[in-house]
Amino acid sequence: MRSMDDFEALVEESVDSLPEELLERLENVAFVVEDRPDPNDLADMDEPPDVELYGLYVGVPISQRHSGYSLVVPDRIAIYRSALQRDFPGKDALLEQIRRTLLHEIGHALGMGHDKLAEFGLA
């Protein structure tokens, strides 16, 4: 099992591998690493997941923001270490899944639903 610092370094490496044009679209969105989801975040979901999550976007999608969206706490994309390390023990597979999870959650931040993400192979 990797330490939190080691895992955070892998997430940072994955974020750095994403296209700059994509990252530039993410206004007021922070990336965070947590061991597992906060129960309050799960309670706020329309439908609680029936599987353990690898990541979660919490906030107002960029496509739904309006002029009143200012001076707010940053939205966040959380990446969950526990489930990812359990399901992807090898470094290469883990890096690939972290990147895939980031892309999925960035899609939500941009306003994409699961159907649209499935079209891109990210559901």
Side-chain angles (χ1 to χ4, degrees), residues 37-51:
D38 182 304
N40 293 325
D41 289 338
L42 295 178
D44 290 341
M45 295 178 73
D46 290 337
E47 290 184 41
D50 56 359
V51 295

Side-chain angles (χ1 to χ4, degrees), residues 93-113:
L94 180 59
L95 271 170
E96 182 178 328
Q97 186 58 46
I98 290 170
R99 188 173 199 276
R100 183 176 174 77
T101 301
L102 286 167
L103 289 169
H104 177 97
E105 301 309 332
I106 288 169
H108 286 310
L110 296 174
M112 293 181 199

Side-chain angles (χ1 to χ4, degrees), residues 65-81:
R65 294 178 186 174
H66 51 78
S67 61
Y69 182 88
S70 62
L71 302 174
V72 296
V73 175
D75 294 0
R76 63 189 166 88
I77 292 175
I79 302 297
Y80 300 121
R81 179 178 76 127

Side-chain angles (χ1 to χ4, degrees), residues 3 8 19-20 23 29 31 33 41 43 48 51 58 73 81-82 86 89 96 103 105 113:
S3 71
E8 287 175 348
E20 189 63 36
L23 295 173
V29 177
F31 294 99
V33 175
D41 289 338
V51 295
V58 178
V73 175
R81 179 178 76 127
S82 181
R86 180 196 63 229
E96 182 178 328
L103 289 169
E105 301 309 332

Side-chain angles (χ1 to χ4, degrees), residues 49-62:
D50 56 359
V51 295
E52 195 165 1
L53 297 175
Y54 297 146
L56 183 66
Y57 169 69
V58 178
V60 177
I62 293 167

